[in-house]
Amino acid sequence: MTYKSSVPMFWRLQGSKYRLVGTRCTKCNSVFFPPRSLCPKCRRKGTVEEMTFSGKGEIISYTIIRTAPEGFEKYVPYAVAIIKLDEGTNISGQIVGNNIEGMAIGMRVRPVFRRMFEDGDRGLIQYGIKWEIDKGDSTS
Amino acid sequence: MKRVAVVGVGQTKFGEHWNSSLRDLSTEAGALALKDAGVEGSSIQALYIGNMSAGKFVSQEHLSSLAADQSGLLPIPATRCEAACASSALAFREAYMSILSGQYDIVVAAGAEKMTDIRGETASAALMGAADQEWESAIGLTFVGLYALLTRAHMQSFGTTREQLALVSVNNHKNGALNEKAQFPFEVSVEQVLKSPMIADPLRLLDCSPITDGASAVVLASEEAARKFEKPVWIAGSGQASDALALHDRQSLTEMLATKAAAKIAYGQAGLSPGEIDVAEVHDCFSINEILAIEDLGFCEKGKGGSFVEKGNIARDREMPINATGGLKSIGHPVGATGVRQIADLVRQLRGECGKLQINGAKTGLALNIGGSGATAVVHILKAE
């Protein structure tokens, strides 16, 4: 669950959740976001090192959640997409902004730092990256 | 290879069971399976039970021994198997392999889930334990949402239409309307599906299998032991495969590679091609998943699943009857019980005991049970002879 949790499970994800720090295999150059500690192709023969992603990319599929799971009820409707990052790997993320109903596959997106989730009025507040439609970037 | 048969099947009614607990349901399904087989509990040598999340649904772990105890099967070894919605196909496969290993002759495989003792939103969050907790659940995705992402990708790549998706639910409800064990035994129209509330665009309420309580069980026997039973149905192939847990880590959003890999193994073992399957039980947790299954099991070309459904090919009286007893959509989807329920329905089809839902002359059947958004796929092929 993302709620009723203590600090450690969010603390250890700060780099990837706040700054898009993923990893890269120095042997085969595969890139991983979310980060992996082992390259699935090279396994123990490879070595992974940290790599920061730009967060820019393109929507390859999307939906609008209208019935939420526990803890997310107050956010509906919200948009979620699978984004192909420019560095060459995919990530799931929320799409925010006032034009989510006009979303389409192929649209460019850029990352924005946002509040992600509040665990009631006394629990942890989590922050992280969401995405918004990037109208000024038509490099696709 | 030695052969293993299914010699008895049992299933509780699927639905909301206000008066039955998880232990009641598993005991009832087990007793029905033993009665159907005509075997005494003292002959059962091991129990494998599929269950996804009793810990979250009813705060009960350690279901294996509880089920063995409640069924009067102590002290036989009891093992719980978990792969989200594919949990009981795993239990069935483990039971099958335990007999193949030579360790046992008569074994029970079961599945059980009690989902309605908690609120729907809480159950929805519990189900998300089957997805990537850090990167999918954490951003508010739901299972409908995950399958909506797959739906949109399929529509974009192949032109699959909203009406074609609706026809999956229409077909399964048409069959389930005649299934006395079904949670929702009534027909629905395309219009009803398309007017039902939007849950995660483009999937609507009537594209989704429900939250359900229920249990299922089957008795398996070695070739030698099976000769003593009246109507053995033989396991001809058993394949299981895995894929990345998160959708964003998959190589493709328009095919289930785990289904393809598991099916290849099962077809190979059975010596059958997709065209030789007489009836199939596939995992229609959401309408898109039946279309993906039709394609990835090889019943039609990739991308043509929508038109395959639209042509009516999956109806009971047509070339490839799919979910002839109602599917997850109409029968209900107690997640840990579905895989063995599919096997039980196939066995009844191959014995010719399905009454109005009988596929005449069915000799071969295939079951596809999927875990999560496709990270586990289990394919079994059964033969009447």
Side-chain angles (χ1 to χ4, degrees):
Chain A
M1 297 291 153
T2 49
Y3 51 94
K4 295 168 190 159
S5 305
S6 59
V7 172
M9 75 177 284
F10 306 109
W11 188 264
R12 62 175 166 262
L13 291 172
Q14 277 180 86
S16 50
K17 292 277 186 178
Y18 294 181
R19 289 178 280 112
L20 297 175
V21 176
T23 53
R24 183 181 78 88
C25 176
T26 56
K27 184 175 165 72
C28 73
N29 288 319
S30 295
V31 298
F32 309 112
F33 192 85
R36 286 176 184 262
S37 55
L38 182 84
C39 171
K41 282 185 201 153
C42 305
R43 294 191 288 266
R44 286 177 297 130
K45 296 183 183 71
T47 310
V48 299
E49 62 176 24
E50 285 192 353
M51 166 181 165
T52 300
F53 286 70
S54 70
K56 289 191 171 191
E58 160 188 330
I59 292 174
I60 59 171
S61 194
Y62 65 95
T63 182
I64 297 173
I65 306 287
R66 298 180 194 273
T67 300
E70 184 172 52
F72 285 88
E73 296 94 334
K74 70 176 181 180
Y75 305 105
V76 291
Y78 52 90
V80 176
I82 298 180
I83 298 152
K84 183 172 181 55
L85 296 171
D86 289 348
E87 291 87 350
T89 185
N90 297 342
I91 184 63
S92 305
Q94 275 196 30
I95 307 292
V96 293
N98 55 13
N99 48 359
I100 58 168
E101 297 281 350
M103 257 183 320
I105 290 172
M107 278 186 171
R108 298 282 306 165
V109 292
R110 66 178 174 218
V112 287
F113 192 72
R114 287 286 185 275
R115 184 176 300 196
M116 299 295 286
F117 185 82
E118 292 166 57
D119 187 3
D121 54 4
R122 303 179 70 176
L124 294 173
I125 299 173
Q126 295 163 42
Y127 292 87
I129 303 292
K130 296 184 181 180
W131 277 263
E132 63 182 12
I133 306 294
D134 189 352
K135 287 183 173 165
D137 182 355
S138 56
T139 55
S140 65
Chain B
M1 205 192 311
K2 288 181 192 168
R3 296 204 300 167
V4 176
V6 181
V7 297
V9 301
Q11 182 206 330
T12 67
K13 182 169 168 51
F14 280 8
E16 282 190 43
H17 284 280
W18 286 34
N19 290 316
S20 302
S21 64
L22 181 63
R23 66 185 69 184
D24 298 333
L25 294 167
S26 17
T27 304
E28 182 189 340
L32 287 169
L34 266 63
K35 184 183 174 196
D36 180 60
V39 68
E40 290 300 318
S42 54
S43 304
I44 307 300
Q45 295 167 296
L47 168 65
Y48 292 84
I49 184 161
N51 172 261
M52 174 185 165
S53 199
K56 283 179 182 166
F57 291 130
V58 291
S59 301
Q60 178 69 63
E61 307 290 9
H62 212 166
L63 180 64
S64 47
S65 295
L66 177 67
D69 177 22
Q70 294 289 316
S71 307
L73 296 176
L74 296 180
I76 63 166
T79 307
R80 170 178 164 182
C81 301
E82 189 271 317
C85 313
S87 295
S88 60
L90 244 62
F92 181 73
R93 189 172 140 81
E94 292 300 319
Y96 167 61
M97 293 194 297
S98 77
I99 293 175
L100 279 186
S101 76
Q103 192 72 228
Y104 307 121
D105 286 309
I106 302 183
V107 172
V108 168
E113 208 78 57
K114 178 72 180 159
M115 301 173 74
T116 69
D117 280 4
I118 52 174
R119 295 185 310 128
E121 299 87 331
T122 315
S124 181
L127 288 169
M128 276 306 288
D132 186 321
Q133 196 63 8
E134 289 182 356
W135 296 95
E136 292 182 325
S137 315
I139 62 168
L141 264 165
T142 57
F143 258 93
V144 199
L146 291 166
Y147 277 95
L149 291 165
L150 293 172
T151 308
R152 185 79 71 189
H154 204 274
M155 292 169 102
Q156 176 88 5
S157 296
F158 306 118
T160 305
T161 66
R162 247 319 330 188
E163 287 71 18
Q164 290 169 343
L165 291 157
L167 283 165
V168 170
S169 299
V170 170
N171 175 74
N172 296 352
H173 270 280
K174 187 176 180 185
N175 296 338
L178 299 170
N179 184 340
E180 60 184 22
K181 301 265 170 107
Q183 181 173 12
F184 295 126
F186 49 76
E187 297 193 19
V188 300
S189 65
V190 170
E191 190 179 28
Q192 281 174 302
V193 178
L194 298 182
K195 283 187 174 169
S196 63
M198 189 72 89
I199 308 294
D201 311 35
L203 292 180
R204 294 174 179 272
L205 183 65
L206 290 179
D207 289 297
C208 310
S209 58
I211 284 177
T212 311
D213 305 326
S216 52
V218 296
V219 182
L220 294 85
S222 64
E223 183 160 17
E224 193 168 85
R227 291 200 193 102
K228 297 168 194 149
F229 293 88
E230 283 181 17
K231 293 179 192 168
V233 166
W234 301 94
I235 302 168
S238 174
Q240 179 185 336
S242 311
D243 201 349
L245 206 60
L247 284 187
H248 53 241
D249 286 333
R250 301 270 172 85
Q251 286 177 35
S252 169
L253 292 180
T254 54
E255 58 188 340
M256 296 254 178
L257 296 178
T259 299
K260 287 187 158 180
K264 188 176 178 191
I265 296 165
Y267 284 131
Q269 289 176 356
L272 292 174
S273 65
E276 294 172 291
I277 300 296
D278 296 329
V279 56
E281 286 285 327
V282 310
H283 197 93
D284 59 314
C285 51
F286 300 97
S287 51
I288 184 64
N289 214 16
E290 183 157 325
I291 289 176
L292 287 167
I294 289 167
E295 297 170 356
D296 296 334
L297 290 169
F299 298 142
C300 74
E301 265 177 66
K302 178 47 69 184
K304 302 280 174 63
S307 54
F308 191 82
V309 170
E310 195 170 9
K311 285 174 191 156
N313 295 339
I314 64 172
R316 287 203 307 280
D317 56 351
R318 294 289 296 276
E319 63 211 64
M320 189 60 248
I322 290 178
N323 290 333
T325 51
L328 285 57
K329 178 70 197 77
S330 172
I331 301 173
H333 184 28
V335 286
T338 284
V340 165
R341 193 278 303 158
Q342 293 177 318
I343 297 289
D345 278 351
L346 280 186
V347 168
R348 284 191 279 250
Q349 285 286 0
L350 300 184
R351 288 175 179 173
E353 293 174 356
C354 278
K356 289 176 185 166
L357 294 173
Q358 182 62 42
I359 305 303
N360 289 327
K363 298 284 182 220
T364 57
L366 178 149
L368 166 64
N369 193 197
I370 285 180
S373 60
T376 298
V378 189
V379 175
H380 283 103
I381 296 176
L382 305 184
K383 276 185 183 174
E385 301 301 332

